[in-house]
Amino acid sequence: MTAASDSWTIARAADAARVRALLARLTADAGVPALDRARFLSALGTRLRRAVGGGRAELTVTTGEGGALRVVLDGPEPWQHTLPCPAPPVTGPLPGPGEAGLAEALLDADESAAGLLAHLDETEELVRFHREELHQTNQGVLALHAELEAAALAQREHLEAERAARAEAENARRLLTFLADASAALNASLDHEDILRRLPGLLVPEHARHVDIWLVDDAAIPPGARTTATVTAARTGRPQHAGPHPGGLPGVDDLPASPLYPDRPLLCLPLGARTVRGVLTLVAPGDRFDADTTVMLLELARRAGIALDNARAYEQHRDVAEALQRAQLTELPDTAGLALAARYLPATYGLNIGGDWYDAFPQPDGSVLTVIGDVTGHGLRAAVIMGQLRTALRAYAVEGNGPARILTLLHRMLRHQEPELYATCAIARFTPGESGVVWAAAGHPPAVARDPGGEVRVLDARPGIMLGVPMPYEYEEYALDLPVGSTLALYTDGLVERRSAGIDAGIDRLAGAMGALGAVELEDLDAAADSVLKPMLYDSEHDDDICLLLCRTTGGGAPE
């Protein structure tokens, strides 16, 4: 298709109207979209009105290859526009100036407007559709946002609950650990005063600002414990809380605030497993007592009460056993030719009392028997068995039996009457006018002898089995020459045996202490006994009781 060009002179409004109507029909026939056509015709009408107002103008329309429509307006305000057309535009004559031509132009304009309106309707429907779609999308986004917020809130609540549960579990673990450690510290002692000293150190400052302990058997209530809550707890046996506000603590009664601590809560806990032994009063470390901590403190007070009951029972048992033990120890006799000195020391800790004893007494023929022994076990039972052995030994000695025969008879008695108990024993017999000693032992540590020149000897002959071992046995006697001025040491294993060292090392230390006796100790046997004990007990702690019996030959004759 070759290019074609048409020109029209625009001098009046009618000319502009006919030209616009021509181009409207031309673009419509060329398939120009209604919106593009409307925009083009609107711009063209504006230019034509200006051209008519300014005088004359020349409008040239050119159709070229490719379906483009080129419009050029010459005049006071030149203007040109190229409009792509889907179909080749075909120009034609201008509409006539008559009514038919004008009507046709108006109809064409209406048709164009109708097409534009239809396009606008389609566009508006499309806009409504997209608006509705956008609204639904927004609603979906809002719903999704709400769901995400709900999920985030649930997750936060779950994390907070998990954090709270973890903190609660950690607090429970911490309280249980403290309770276990505190219980172990209290139960490690059998001294009730030591237990009472340990309690404040365990509780202050983490669980209490201040601690008072009042015992029922105290002569007076200390000022820090003289409160209504303390007295009520002691009288009723129920824990009491006194503070400016109710505590609401589990298992605890509430009382008004104490005048001694008007701004601080008090917790008064009874001490004692079966009966109230006292009251533990705690001043809160902060504004209030925590419920979980209170439950732990109630249990600790219960365990402290049990520890105090055990300590009191132990102390009572120990005192009775020690009193019985000392009551059965012999008052040493005065004998010619023989000096005697003895020491008995109870164990420094533990219930290791009642099994050790010493004895010394004359026989009908004038000889003197010195005895040292140790019953297995401790406490009242051991003390009772020790008393029976001591009595039986004296009875057998009165019949004139020697050390070996006495031990044989004791072994037979213990084996039949107390088959579950054993004992060790050593007996030495000194005969006036003779310079020696006859001795026998039943599983007992060996005696240690020191001659006047300071030479020390351990009598390590075969000691025989322990008394009470379930088998028949005949003990043997041994003789040792002891010049005048010699000292024989009989002792129990508590003197030489320690957990950290064997008994042989202790016997060597005893031999060294015997050899180190000076001139004063050689003249005074009691001083010698103290001098021997001093290096043996340098550590001051021993878990067994101790007997030491020193026998020194003085050279005197037989008593008349």
Side-chain angles (χ1 to χ4, degrees):
M1 178 180 177
T2 59
S5 178
D6 290 309
S7 298
W8 295 276
T9 299
I10 309 298
R12 298 173 303 169
D15 296 335
R18 288 196 299 272
V19 170
R20 184 185 181 284
L22 173 64
L23 289 177
R25 186 175 62 251
L26 183 64
T27 53
D29 294 342
V32 176
L35 184 59
D36 293 340
R37 190 165 68 250
R39 289 172 178 168
F40 167 69
L41 292 175
S42 175
L44 177 63
T46 300
R47 297 295 177 179
L48 289 175
R49 282 193 298 272
R50 292 178 181 175
V52 170
R56 296 175 63 86
E58 190 77 18
L59 181 67
T60 303
V61 177
T62 304
T63 58
E65 297 181 358
L69 179 67
R70 188 169 184 273
V71 180
V72 178
L73 179 66
D74 293 328
E77 293 184 14
W79 176 75
Q80 62 180 5
H81 184 77
T82 301
L83 182 65
C85 299
V90 179
T91 61
L94 288 174
E99 292 180 0
L102 182 57
E104 185 179 353
L106 290 174
L107 290 174
D108 289 341
D110 289 341
E111 184 180 353
S112 296
L116 179 59
L117 290 174
H119 179 73
L120 289 176
D121 289 341
E122 293 177 359
T123 302
E124 186 174 326
E125 182 66 25
L126 187 60
V127 169
R128 278 197 300 270
F129 172 75
H130 286 300
R131 185 180 290 114
E132 181 65 24
E133 189 178 51
L134 180 61
H135 175 71
Q136 294 178 358
T137 302
N138 287 339
Q139 292 297 320
V141 170
L142 291 175
L144 179 61
H145 181 69
E147 291 179 1
L148 291 176
E149 281 192 346
L153 178 60
Q155 185 177 13
R156 284 196 299 271
E157 291 176 350
H158 177 72
L159 290 176
E160 290 174 0
E162 182 179 357
R163 190 179 298 112
R166 190 173 299 169
E168 185 177 352
E170 176 60 25
N171 183 57
R173 185 201 63 79
R174 181 180 60 83
L175 292 177
L176 288 175
T177 300
F178 170 80
L179 179 61
D181 293 343
S183 300
L186 297 178
N187 291 327
S189 176
L190 286 173
D191 183 344
H192 80 280
E193 292 183 357
D194 182 49
I195 294 172
L196 296 176
R197 285 193 298 267
R198 293 185 184 192
L199 270 172
L202 293 170
L203 295 170
V204 178
E206 182 176 1
H207 299 294
R209 184 181 184 183
H210 178 70
V211 170
D212 282 313
I213 303 173
W214 169 61
L215 297 181
V216 173
D217 55 359
D218 285 350
I221 304 177
R226 195 178 296 120
T227 67
T228 302
T230 303
V231 176
T232 304
R235 187 181 68 252
T236 64
R238 286 188 53 80
Q240 304 294 321
H241 174 272
H245 305 287
L249 302 173
V252 180
D253 298 336
D254 278 312
L255 293 175
S258 169
L260 295 176
Y261 299 96
D263 300 327
R264 289 271 181 172
L266 297 182
L267 193 61
C268 300
L269 307 178
L271 296 174
R274 290 170 293 276
T275 59
V276 177
R277 298 285 186 182
V279 177
L280 173 66
T281 300
L282 300 90
V283 181
D287 296 334
R288 55 186 294 273
F289 283 101
D290 176 71
D292 292 339
T293 303
T294 300
V295 172
M296 181 276 295
L297 292 174
L298 292 175
E299 177 62 19
L300 180 61
R302 188 187 70 84
R303 297 186 183 187
I306 293 175
L308 288 172
D309 285 348
N310 292 339
R312 289 292 181 88
Y314 156 75
E315 291 168 357
Q316 182 180 10
H317 195 92
R318 181 195 61 190
D319 293 344
V320 171
E322 184 175 351
L324 179 61
Q325 172 83 357
R326 290 189 180 278
Q328 297 188 95
L329 295 177
T330 302
E331 183 176 347
L332 297 177
D334 292 328
T335 58
L338 183 66
L340 299 172
R343 296 290 183 271
Y344 169 75
L345 299 175
T348 54
Y349 59 90
L351 193 58
N352 294 335
I353 295 173
D356 291 17
W357 92 96
Y358 65 84
D359 200 359
F361 56 90
Q363 285 187 291
D365 63 356
S367 61
V368 177
L369 285 184
T370 57
V371 182
I372 198 83
D374 186 2
V375 177
T376 59
H378 303 283
L380 288 176
R381 179 171 172 78
V384 170
I385 297 302
M386 179 268 291
Q388 293 176 355
L389 287 178
R390 174 178 174 274
T391 301
L393 188 149
R394 284 193 169 221
Y396 295 144
V398 168
E399 296 177 357
N401 293 306
R405 181 59 181 166
I406 293 174
L407 290 178
T408 301
L409 294 173
L410 286 175
H411 171 63
R412 185 182 305 166
M413 182 201 78
L414 191 61
R415 183 162 60 93
H416 289 287
Q417 294 186 3
E418 298 290 344
E420 297 180 357
L421 283 180
Y422 308 102
T424 66
C425 185
I427 303 175
R429 182 170 66 179
F430 296 86
T431 302
E434 297 182 6
S435 62
V437 61
V438 175
W439 59 279
H444 202 80
V448 176
R450 181 189 189 277
D451 66 17
E455 182 179 353
V456 178
R457 176 181 175 186
V458 177
L459 307 186
D460 54 359
R462 186 165 67 93
I465 64 174
M466 295 177 66
L467 299 175
V469 173
M471 60 176 292
Y473 192 82
E474 296 287 336
Y475 293 90
E476 299 179 16
E477 289 183 353
Y478 303 90
L480 174 68
D481 184 46
L482 286 179
V484 174
S486 299
T487 303
L488 182 69
L490 303 176
Y491 56 92
T492 56
D493 59 356
L495 180 66
V496 294
E497 191 171 27
R498 295 292 181 272
R499 294 181 185 273
S500 58
I503 193 172
D504 291 339
I507 294 173
D508 291 341
R509 282 199 300 158
L510 175 60
M514 292 285 290
L517 293 176
V520 175
E521 290 84 2
L522 294 176
E523 293 295 330
D524 185 350
L525 198 58
D526 283 314
D530 294 334
S531 296
V532 169
L533 287 177
K534 185 175 181 180
M536 300 302 296
L537 303 178
Y538 69 92
D539 54 1
S540 74
E541 293 290 334
H542 50 95
D543 57 2
D544 199 359
D545 48 354
I546 293 172
C547 278
L548 173 65
L549 178 60
L550 294 184
C551 312
R552 175 171 296 162
T553 56
T554 59
E560 297 181 0

